[in-house]
Amino acid sequence: MAKHASPRPCPCGTGLPYDDCCGPLHAGHGTAPTAQALMRSRFSAFAVGDGDYLLRSWHSTTRPRRLHLDPATRWTRLEIVDSTRGGLLDTAGTVTFRAHYREAGQPGTMAEHSRFVREDGNWVYLDASPD
């Protein structure tokens, strides 16, 4: 019997179903082709509580040993504000974003200018730029 894609929309905001967007990346089937795609997949990982993917997609020199995701924080929407480089042929790039969430019934927003680089050929999150 064929597996049917979940109609659940991907948290990253592309409008695609999760199973056709960030879900395969989270499951280890492929890698993000651009820094922005990695940023979107990382936001989705926060939204679905996939800490393993977050650690796998973090640069080896800046990756924490452990990651605790607060189940009380519900990530609701991602806004990409700007991005530089980070394309198919680049080795580094940045993505500026606003991540919206709800915690204890209250809305919140986190903004960051993230740096991404390639490690072993794959895009990974390096750190937040110290603007």
Side-chain angles (χ1 to χ4, degrees):
M1 177 170 252
K3 179 182 180 241
H4 296 283
S6 167
R8 173 177 57 145
C10 193
C12 79
T14 60
L16 295 171
Y18 174 74
D19 289 346
D20 295 333
C21 193
C22 295
L25 299 177
H26 294 169
H29 305 296
T31 59
T34 65
Q36 188 176 129
L38 183 67
M39 176 62 241
R40 288 182 176 282
S41 71
R42 287 177 57 82
F43 173 84
S44 291
F46 275 103
V48 301
D50 190 344
D52 289 340
Y53 178 78
L54 291 166
L55 290 171
R56 281 195 322 269
S57 62
W58 212 310
H59 194 275
S60 61
T61 63
T62 58
R63 177 188 314 128
R65 287 180 183 241
R66 283 185 281 259
L67 185 63
H68 172 73
L69 299 178
D70 187 347
T73 302
R74 193 179 61 138
W75 296 95
T76 59
R77 185 167 58 95
L78 175 66
E79 283 179 79
I80 301 294
V81 176
D82 190 26
S83 61
T84 58
R85 298 180 52 222
L88 296 174
L89 302 177
D90 293 317
T91 58
T94 65
V95 179
T96 303
F97 69 92
R98 283 190 286 270
H100 300 269
Y101 63 90
R102 292 193 72 77
E103 192 170 80
Q106 299 298 310
T109 303
M110 184 201 99
E112 184 174 295
H113 182 78
S114 297
R115 297 190 304 171
F116 296 88
V117 296
R118 288 194 188 263
E119 184 174 52
D120 298 327
N122 298 318
W123 283 109
V124 292
Y125 170 76
L126 181 62
D127 59 15
S129 179
D131 294 329

